[in-house]
Amino acid sequence: MKIAILASPSGKQEVLDKGIAAGVEILWCGSVKILVATVADVYMDLLFVPDRERTERLMMRAGMPFFINSVADAGIKEEKHFVRINAWPGFLQREYVELVVNGDEQERWTREVFGVLGWKYQAVPNIQGMISARIVSCIVNEAYYTFGDGISSKQEIDTAMKLGTSYPYGPFEWAEKIGLEKIYSLLWELQKTDERYKPAPALENEVLAMKTQ
């Protein structure tokens, strides 16, 4: 099986660290243009962003097994052509890959591809943030509320969370690994229908500061 993958250097390393079964050939692609021009059995866009031009290009491979790293983008018009997976930084390292399938054909794709790769997966509801990204984003957000109120430092909060919950990373370490803008974007979308997800002022201020640098 040939799998064409578009990924960042760190994403590429996560795929390699997860392990590739014998008989699978990975074709690494450096751009969307190269990805869709590559002849393969399966396609993965681990750098997906939901802009019109990119989606139209990916649709050139409609009908082929196609997986996109689309955590916050539930409900995109073309979703029946893609399997959404959670490939946020660090999440491919987990035992199960979190993903959303739409219909029997996508379920068949996923079962066959992941079976050949030797990877385990867990299908989750078709919602923004899936499950684990929602949870981690909420933890990060609450940590920023605590930090913003001057209750504790980032390092102290990270240490307390790791010691108290046995999490592999503290909330601020998660934010750095995933990318604070990704977390903020997800929270911003979720808070439109549920105020519990409203981004903490300290988190929002950091994101705004990053954008003005």
Side-chain angles (χ1 to χ4, degrees), residues 21 24 30 56 66 83 108 124 127 152 158 197 213:
V24 176
E56 286 179 351
F66 212 128
V83 176
R108 177 179 59 80
V124 299
I127 56 177
S152 193
D158 277 343
Y197 295 101
Q213 287 179 353

Side-chain angles (χ1 to χ4, degrees), residues 15-167:
V15 171
L16 294 174
D17 289 345
K18 194 163 187 66
I20 305 297
V24 176
E25 180 182 358
I26 303 297
L27 307 173
W28 298 106
C29 303
S31 67
V32 173
K33 183 177 180 180
I34 294 173
L35 178 67
V36 297
T38 299
V39 178
D41 303 300
V42 181
Y43 296 84
M44 292 187 180
D45 182 358
L46 302 186
L47 298 177
F48 178 79
V49 289
D51 65 71
R52 181 176 178 181
E53 181 180 356
R54 189 188 197 98
T55 303
E56 286 179 351
R57 285 196 172 188
L58 299 185
M59 286 294 293
M60 293 171 62
R61 289 295 179 181
M64 299 291 291
F66 212 128
F67 299 82
I68 59 174
N69 178 17
S70 176
V71 175
D73 308 308
I76 60 174
K77 183 176 66 174
E78 298 84 3
E79 67 182 10
K80 67 179 181 180
H81 300 289
F82 307 112
V83 176
R84 291 173 53 225
I85 68 173
N86 181 358
W88 270 10
F91 283 76
L92 286 181
Q93 297 173 355
R94 301 164 71 223
E95 182 179 3
Y96 289 85
V97 177
E98 192 176 27
L99 52 79
V100 173
V101 295
N102 292 286
D104 293 340
E105 185 178 25
Q106 288 193 2
E107 172 61 32
R108 177 179 59 80
W109 288 354
T110 303
R111 187 170 57 250
E112 291 178 358
V113 172
F114 276 68
V116 172
L117 279 169
W119 293 3
K120 298 178 182 178
Y121 70 91
Q122 177 63 56
V124 299
N126 187 12
I127 56 177
Q128 290 174 313
M130 302 185 189
I131 303 298
S132 58
R134 279 189 175 217
I135 293 172
V136 170
S137 295
C138 285
I139 291 171
V140 171
N141 201 35
E142 288 300 320
Y144 267 96
Y145 273 114
T146 302
F147 171 70
D149 289 342
I151 295 173
S152 193
S153 70
K154 290 183 178 181
Q155 184 176 1
E156 289 169 343
I157 294 170
D158 277 343
T159 300
M161 287 296 292
K162 286 188 289 186
L163 292 177
T165 64
S166 296
Y167 285 172

Side-chain angles (χ1 to χ4, degrees), residues 166-188:
S166 296
Y167 285 172
Y169 306 104
F172 297 102
E173 291 172 332
W174 266 122
E176 183 176 357
K177 187 175 186 65
I178 294 168
L180 193 58
E181 289 189 18
K182 288 186 176 70
I183 292 171
Y184 176 76
S185 295
L186 176 57
L187 291 169
W188 180 258

